[in-house]
């Protein structure tokens, strides 16, 4: 079957670093996406990984290990506005349809 | 440029009534997706359109749900005889589709919040 696992909730402190993990088991792999979703809003694209390694984009970085079926999203210098749900999604084959995790709700405290 | 738009933003209806939700994708995007998101839950895939190909309807929860799309333009999601469990936010997304290569990012609209009384 197809399965994506993420922690349900995380808490961190303003200015700190937090790592949100995502593990996946899918039949085929063609890329992994991270999206951010603020409460009451639509998801917005953060990052895409298809090759192993780290992709850095400002305060956010995303890592992928295809052999381990594992990714993480790293958020540095946390700000209050980073409080949101972070969704991991995998493209399992040539079909454009994504398989979505349930999301990790991150609370950033002062 | 213009993003994905959806209408209405909110819809309150009575149980048993039909509703129609609309999605305008980003111009040039050949792929269009509908999702359902219940309060505090993840995204639930409903249906996927790619150009003029037959849509992937594998996520539609029952035959009360249907969707149409003409070419690469507007799509409508119709829910017949609405039930209280249909209450959710319905999100539409579009992407470049087959012309987008591997990096085929989905861009989401603001959603329609449906409440069935």
């Amino acid at each position: 079957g197809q399965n994506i696992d993420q922690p349900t909730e995380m808490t961190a402190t303003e200015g700190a670093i937090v790592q949100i993990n995502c593990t996946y088991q899918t039949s085929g792999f063609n890329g992994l996406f991270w999206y951010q979703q603020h409460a009451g809003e639509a998801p917005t694209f953060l990052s895409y990984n298809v090759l192993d390694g780290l992709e850095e984009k400002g305060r956010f970085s995303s890592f992928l290990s295809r052999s381990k079926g594992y990714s993480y999203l790293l958020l540095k210098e946390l700000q209050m506005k980073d409080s949101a749900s972070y969704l991991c999604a995998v493209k399992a084959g040539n079909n454009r349809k994504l398989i979505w995790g349930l999301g990790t709700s991150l609370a950033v405290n002062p | 440029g213009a993003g994905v738009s959806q209408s209405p933003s909110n819809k309150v209806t009575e149980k048993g009534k039909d509703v129609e939700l609309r999605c305008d994708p980003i111009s040039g995007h050949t792929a269009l997706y509908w999702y359902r998101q219940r309060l505090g839950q993840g995204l639930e895939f409903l249906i996927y359109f790619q150009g003029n190909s037959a849509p992937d309807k594998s996520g539609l929860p029952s035959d009360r749900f249907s969707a149409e799309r003409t070419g690469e333009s507007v799509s409508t999601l119709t829910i017949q005889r609405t039930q209280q469990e249909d209450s959710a936010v319905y999100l539409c997304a579009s992407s470049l589709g087959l012309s987008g290569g591997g990096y085929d990012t989905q861009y989401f609209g603001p959603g329609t919040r449906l409440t069935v009384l």
Side-chain angles (χ1 to χ4, degrees):
Chain A
Q2 319 267 48
N3 193 51
I4 295 182
D5 286 315
Q6 306 179 233
T8 304
E9 295 179 339
M10 297 184 72
T11 303
T13 304
E14 193 174 15
I17 299 173
V18 71
Q19 177 175 310
I20 302 174
N21 296 325
C22 170
T23 57
Y24 62 89
Q25 293 175 305
T26 57
S27 53
F29 177 83
N30 219 359
L32 184 145
F33 293 82
W34 283 97
Y35 280 77
Q36 179 190 59
Q37 186 177 25
H38 285 101
E41 298 182 13
T44 55
F45 169 75
L46 288 178
S47 68
Y48 171 73
N49 294 68
V50 66
L51 299 176
D52 289 350
L54 188 68
E55 294 278 344
E56 297 188 74
K57 192 184 293 185
R59 293 190 299 116
F60 292 7
S61 303
S62 56
F63 172 83
L64 175 68
S65 169
R66 289 172 296 172
S67 63
K68 295 182 179 177
Y70 167 69
S71 173
Y72 67 72
L73 181 69
L74 192 71
L75 290 73
K76 303 176 187 175
E77 301 168 16
L78 281 172
Q79 302 175 9
M80 299 296 289
K81 67 178 182 180
D82 297 329
S83 293
S85 183
Y86 291 85
L87 309 174
C88 173
V90 171
K91 188 191 303 182
N94 291 327
N95 190 316
R96 260 47 187 172
K97 190 170 67 177
L98 297 179
I99 302 163
W100 293 84
L102 295 181
T104 298
S105 179
L106 174 66
V108 179
N109 298 319
Chain B
V4 179
S5 61
Q6 293 185 244
S7 62
S9 55
N10 279 285
K11 177 71 177 178
V12 180
T13 190
E14 294 179 347
K15 179 181 172 181
K17 295 284 180 69
D18 298 351
V19 295
E20 191 172 277
L21 312 180
R22 176 187 169 105
C23 172
D24 279 273
I26 293 172
S27 178
H29 279 193
T30 64
L32 187 147
Y33 314 77
W34 283 99
Y35 295 93
R36 178 169 70 179
Q37 189 172 35
R38 292 193 167 106
L39 187 64
Q41 302 296 309
L43 294 178
E44 179 184 358
F45 167 78
L46 297 178
I47 188 169
Y48 155 57
F49 295 90
Q50 171 58 60
N52 293 314
S53 302
D56 177 349
K57 304 180 182 180
S58 59
L60 294 178
S62 77
D63 58 8
R64 296 188 295 106
F65 288 71
S66 63
E68 292 184 350
R69 186 185 188 198
T70 304
E72 297 178 358
S73 61
V74 170
S75 175
T76 55
L77 176 70
T78 302
I79 309 174
Q80 296 178 309
R81 305 182 303 281
T82 52
Q83 304 294 313
Q84 288 183 329
E85 66 258 28
D86 299 335
S87 295
V89 175
Y90 289 82
L91 291 162
C92 174
S94 72
S95 72
L96 285 170
L98 294 178
S99 59
Y103 200 133
D104 189 30
T105 302
Q106 293 184 23
Y107 295 90
F108 285 81
T112 294
R113 183 174 299 278
L114 175 66
T115 303
V116 182
L117 302 177

